[in-house]
Amino acid sequence: MRSLQGLKVTVWRAYSTAKSAPVIAAKHPFKVQLKSGKLYPWCSCGHSKKQPFCDGSHRKAAPDLAPLRFTLTEDKEAWLCGCKQTKTPPYCDGTHKQSYVQECTQEPNQ
Ligand code: FES
């Protein structure tokens, strides 16, 4: 477990060890209101229909990827990554502004 800006990450699987690559679910982040102590499953595969959170789609679409489960120590408004390319998951780090994300024509779940 690691702690970063009031964030407790309880499960993390690095992209570099996974065979599946995440798909770009959205070309923008999602603004969300997060509650202290609640466990949130951030979608890391991009296949979920409930972005930015997991709906279990990774089990079929990308079984070697798993959601990033996290809790916060305080209530917080946050921008969670929708492109699944961030280096600071689950938060947006601006990577979605890169041309390889904005010009991507790949559709999730295909
Ligand atoms: S939405 Fe992924 S880095 Fe901003």
Side-chain angles (χ1 to χ4, degrees), residues 26-29 80-86 91-96:
K27 297 178 181 179
H28 56 80
L80 299 186
C81 174
C83 75
K84 313 308 174 185
Q85 308 299 309
T86 182
Y91 300 116
C92 172
D93 69 353
T95 300
H96 67 273

Side-chain angles (χ1 to χ4, degrees), residues 24-68:
I24 295 171
K27 297 178 181 179
H28 56 80
F30 294 88
K31 185 178 181 181
V32 295
Q33 299 292 327
L34 301 171
K35 296 287 184 190
S36 172
K38 182 175 178 180
L39 180 63
Y40 292 99
W42 175 75
C43 169
S44 68
C45 74
H47 292 280
S48 174
K49 300 279 192 241
K50 295 182 176 178
Q51 293 296 329
F53 301 110
C54 176
D55 69 354
S57 294
H58 64 278
R59 292 185 198 114
K60 266 189 155 181
D64 56 331
L65 294 177
L68 172 69

